[in-house]
Amino acid sequence: MLRIVFLLLCVTFVEGGAIKPIPDKVAVNTQKAALGKKLFFDPLLSKDNTVSCATCHVLEEGGDDGLKYSFGVGGAQGSRNAPTVLNAVFNFRQFWDGRAKDLKAQAKSPIVNPKEMGDRFKPIIEKLQHHPEYKKRFNSIYPDGITSENIADAIAEYEKTLITPNGAFDRYLKGDKTAISKEAKHGYALFKEKGCILCHNGVNVGGNLFNRFGVYHDANGTDFGRYNVTGREDDKYVFKVPSLRNVARTAPYMHDGRFKKLRDAVSFMTEYQLGRYMEPEEIDAIVAFLETLNGTLPSNRSIRP
Amino acid sequence: MKQKLGNWQKSTERFSLLLSFFFLLLLGLAGYLVKINQDIKNYTEYHHTLNEMRTLDYKLDNCFSQLYRYINYDKTAMLEKKFESALTILQEKNGKLAYGKALQARIGEIAQVYTKKKTYFEDFKALNARVTNSLHFLYDMRKTLEKRLREGSYQAVLVDNIFFGISQIVMNIPSNDKKISQQLEMLSHTQTNRHLGYFIQHSRQFLNDAAKLKKVQKGAKKIPLRQKINLLLDDLTQKYEKDRRYQEDIAFGFFSFAFVILALLIFSYRRIRQNTRELQAFRYAIENSDNAIMLTDTQRHIEYVNEAFEKYTGYSKEEVMGKDPRILKSGLMPREAYDDMNETIGRGEIWQGELINRRKDGSILYEKASIVPVIMEGEVVKYLAVKLDITDYKEQQQRLKQAATVYRTMGDGVLITDKEKRILSVNPAFVNIFGYTEKELIGSKPMVIKTLEEDAYFFHQVWSQLLAKDRWSGKLYNQAKDGTVLPIWLTLTVVRDEKGEIENFIVIYTDLQEIMATQERAEFLAYHDSLTKLPNRAYFDLHIEDFLSFADIANEKVAIFFIDLDRFKVINDTLGHGIGDIMLKELSKRIRDVLDENMLFARIGGDEFVIVARLKEGRKEAAAIAETVLSLIREPVQASNYTLNTTASIGIVVYPDDTKNKFDIVKFADSAMYAAKEGGKDNYHFYNEQLSQNVQLRLDMEQEMLHAIEHNEFSLVFQPQYDLHTYKIVGMEVLLRWKNRKLGTVLPDAFISIAEETGMIVRLGYYVLEQACLTQARILKMGFTLETVAVNVSAIQFRDENFIENLKQILKRTGIPATMLEIEITERFIMEYSTTNMTILEELRGLGCRISIDDFGTGYSSMSYMKALPLDTIKIDKSFITELPYDMHDVEVCKAIIALSKSLGYQVVAEGIEKREQEVFLKENGCDVGQGYYFARPMPEKEFVTFLRKHHSQL
């Protein structure tokens, strides 16, 4: 009798299509995107004209900066690891604590964060107003010209283009059975079997729910995470489950960048989140699978700033 | 009319006001419909959104039920995103919709409730992932534990029980969680291995999370999200329906209103149509009015004129549009008339009066005009001029006025009667002529003016002709009031009316008495000289024939005397016409008095008289008459303070001995008179055939002379003038020779006078001047020094008005300085043309020419002339030289002339020196220059040059 019950449970587990390939293209307004690109790379948006979006989100290096914590204007250091900008469009909320509901809402934040770009919108708008090209382009796109909303909108529009389709695993999903190694295939099976897939699913392999950091053990975190946003006791140590796309490129790991190696991160996750033990070969196989999640980095030429 | 116009204007204003209002209404309605449409669209969208939200909520709830299962969270995230965007639409749309605060509050509630539900949902997602993981793990673990645990052992029983409990929870079978926890507790106190430890850990975790999950599920179920959405949906629908009803009411209101306005519009339109028709009728009346009608704006620019205007003025509409009516101004109106007009219409009153304007063709147009300021709403908006062409009337009036003036002022008496021949009116002249006053005559018959010829037959004749021809005129005698019988030229005229019935008789009395007197006097004046009262040339021409035919009948001879006063012109010129006239009157009286009455004595020219006398005894008798006349003339005449001596020359022709032709008589007599003059004046000369021959010779000469210059028949000869003391040749006098192929050599004395008479002298004169100058130029070129070249110039030449200019040209052409040219004029010329030609002499002097007087001493030289004239040289006439030094008279004259000239500073030249003793005398008496055969004869140019050369070498 017990057996029957668990068989039923098992059926739900084997359900296919848990991970979807990244689409080749996301529809964008190219004019806005072009303007957004210019803004993304322009340190003008920072208080001392030294830091741009691209300072921390280095596109060639996986959409982040490879640092535990990023440095903002005047050398100020942040308190969370910079998440990648790549494929961020597919996340259901932005930031580790999910406080921004979309890219546009997110884009405003680093600009005015004193530890990041440390600027305010009023002087930025003034700076842009004195820049004839920005003035012209904003006016041609937006009826109300240069505003904080429109700046964020343009940047968000550009960020929509920062996707990494055509990864080896996506090709595999699309039917190319040779696209990934046997070990990686084994890793994918383990990924599903061991329960990783329960949180890391969908297009972005994660990024579509929150969960507690340290379920079976205390993860020794100092950051209350989502509690800072909601104030609910239940939300303490709760973070957005991050996307595993390009995960091999986005070390260090965790919201506090505590692991430099992917293997360590996987091992930690197994124990703390899944409450399991995995053999080292199994962890290797999963890492091999995760490495197939690297997609084609967005071409810098796709959008002209 | 004005009122109509006002009505019409008001109607049209109301009409356009209504029309614009109507359009505004339609526009409003259209706008409102658009708004309603938008509302419906918004409502549909809103409704749709809310429905979608409801669906999404169902889906969310569905997720909540997917407990203990793997869930692809992309799908759930999609639900959230969709719901959120729908919510955004609601929130954003709400601002645009006028759905009120109630709905806004509801939307707020929805957002709030959704946030709560979302929180449950996020918890659910996290917990579900965890419980699913635990279940998964436990399932894995069960096999391992089955292998590791002994069947039926305490531990195995506990594990089995725990599994059973978990299964119950998973299948939602009521379970005892406490019991499971106790069994887990009991299991944990047994000897455990690693696997059992994981089992316990996960089971505990599961129990914990499943409990939480149940709570979350329960909490979520309590969230009234769907109720809130439904409430909003209800509210929305209600509100919408309310709005629709309201909108329907408003639309209906609009339509009703539009209908009313449309009705008003139609009504208004009909009124305008009616007004328009009336105005069209007015317009038709204006167009076709006999009155010229003109409409101007306040700035007096013509806006309208009718056809009558065009007809009256000759201007077309197009020509006058926009112009000022002043284009019609004739300038014949006094300024005050316009001032009055402007002042009147300026006050807004109607001006009426007459205008004198001008048509396009310039003719005068009289108009009776009314100028009306058109006032609308208290303001002058236009001027209307209504004018009637009264030119014909005016002109007729003028003609009547003229006729009346003629009637009043004419010299003829006019009498007007009615058809019964009763006098209606007489004019002042009638009163003057007959002495009756108008009062005395009115009503009576014209027969009061009795005629002497009371002949019944005569009157019958007059009547019948008058009635037949409506006019009669003839001479008769009437008697004035005082009894005087007057010769009258009577004109009777009948005035008939349109039917031809007699209306009036008009009788015009022309008093012939005065006319007859005037006629006699005119006749006398026509045939008599007013100065001497002698018959004039016309009389002579008229009566000579009578004389001659009478003589023919009587077989008598008739002598015709042609009398010409010698030098009468001099008297006239020097003493004035008044003196001349006194002399003529005196002389004619003297002659008249001695002549027989039968003789005809006439003055036929200024100083020419004719006597026609019948001869009983022949030529002797004629000579006696001539002698008598000459003696009468010779006697001094006392005129004013002058005692004048004059003589006459008389030519006599005897008819029919000399000629039978009446026309020849005068001609022959003239020739005879000239013969007498040439014979030394103060005598008479009978005509003979020789004289006629001379006349023929003159005619031949005239004929030949015409082409003499072209035929090179004229030639110049030069006579040297030399200094009597040094014998140096100082100049030459140019003399003219004519050698004709028919007439042979003609002497200057003969042909010069003819040339002067025919005017040929002018051309000839220039020819001589030019040739003389050319010769002088050639001589000078040869190296001789001749001071002057003297050329005789005729008085006639000076009459050519271009003389001075032509002379200048000649001098310029030939290159001879004016100072070298000496113009010789005759003493006679000075005497005859003293005043008129003084200026010419002055001009010649002005040019630099020298002037000499030729033949000095033969005329009437006057000391005063000599002093006044601009002279250089005096030439003593050769008649004074010939008898020198033996004739004492000539000696004295020469001495006197030389002395006189010297005293006046003139050079003296003696001409015609033929003998040595003459030269000696002149030299001794101080004469400067000589000229004559003794020194050298006149020579052609070639000889003259040879002479010069020879003479020069001798000196």
Side-chain angles (χ1 to χ4, degrees), chain B residues 527-740:
Chain B
Y527 291 107
H528 288 81
D529 170 32
S530 60
L531 179 70
T532 57
K533 307 284 187 264
L534 290 175
N536 60 8
R537 174 110 204 188
Y539 187 93
F540 170 77
D541 286 343
L542 203 67
H543 287 86
I544 181 76
E545 223 159 326
D546 294 345
F547 255 95
L548 298 181
S549 40
F550 195 79
D552 284 344
I553 295 162
N555 202 17
E556 284 177 345
K557 291 180 196 299
V558 176
I560 294 97
F561 301 82
F562 206 94
I563 306 162
D564 187 270
L565 297 182
D566 298 325
R567 290 180 290 271
F568 176 70
K569 214 168 206 151
V570 177
I571 292 164
N572 246 357
D573 282 355
T574 52
L575 302 175
H577 286 282
I579 303 296
D581 285 352
I582 291 172
M583 193 166 88
L584 285 172
K585 267 165 98 173
E586 170 64 23
L587 292 179
S588 56
K589 189 176 173 293
R590 280 182 202 168
I591 298 165
R592 173 80 268 167
D593 288 349
V594 301
L595 289 179
D596 196 283
E597 274 205 1
N598 293 334
M599 294 179 189
L600 171 62
F601 178 42
R603 182 182 174 209
I604 59 166
D607 59 349
E608 290 166 344
F609 297 87
V610 169
I611 298 172
V612 183
R614 291 206 293 244
L615 295 179
K616 292 185 176 89
E617 293 160 35
R619 290 182 181 247
K620 270 192 181 165
E621 193 184 351
I625 293 169
E627 288 284 6
T628 312
V629 169
L630 285 175
S631 66
L632 284 173
I633 291 169
R634 213 175 288 129
E635 272 179 43
V637 173
Q638 198 68 38
S640 279
N641 297 327
Y642 301 98
T643 302
L644 301 167
N645 286 302
T646 188
T647 55
S649 303
I650 302 174
I652 307 168
V653 175
V654 178
Y655 176 90
D657 294 357
D658 292 334
T659 175
K660 284 194 164 189
N661 187 323
K662 170 184 111 164
F663 299 104
D664 282 347
I665 289 172
V666 179
K667 208 161 78 185
F668 287 179
D670 194 44
S671 304
M673 186 274 287
Y674 267 105
K677 266 208 195 274
E678 276 166 23
K681 296 167 181 154
D682 194 18
N683 61 9
Y684 62 91
H685 201 292
F686 278 98
Y687 170 78
N688 57 39
E689 267 187 43
Q690 185 59 45
L691 290 177
S692 280
Q693 279 171 14
N694 287 348
V695 170
Q696 190 57 47
L697 182 66
R698 283 171 70 95
L699 286 175
D700 288 346
M701 276 203 257
E702 271 177 43
Q703 203 59 35
E704 287 302 315
M705 206 186 292
L706 283 177
H707 305 289
I709 293 178
E710 282 82 355
H711 295 159
N712 281 321
E713 291 176 6
F714 288 109
S715 61
L716 265 51
V717 290
F718 306 91
Q719 188 167 34
Q721 294 178 329
Y722 62 103
D723 189 312
L724 285 171
H725 303 281
T726 61
Y727 283 96
K728 192 180 169 227
I729 296 171
V730 293
M732 58 181 179
E733 184 181 1
V734 179
L735 298 163
L736 188 60
R737 296 286 181 265
W738 182 21
K739 198 170 181 185
N740 181 260

Side-chain angles (χ1 to χ4, degrees), chain B residues 143-180:
Chain B
K143 282 185 212 163
T144 316
L145 288 178
E146 257 175 22
K147 279 181 212 162
R148 300 271 170 110
L149 294 178
R150 219 168 358 95
E151 187 95 26
S153 69
Y154 175 66
Q155 281 181 321
V157 171
L158 278 176
V159 166
D160 207 32
N161 284 343
I162 290 166
F163 265 127
F164 183 75
I166 289 172
S167 299
Q168 277 182 313
I169 292 168
V170 169
M171 284 185 294
N172 212 11
I173 297 164
S175 61
N176 193 342
D177 291 2
K178 232 181 200 166
K179 195 178 162 197
I180 301 171

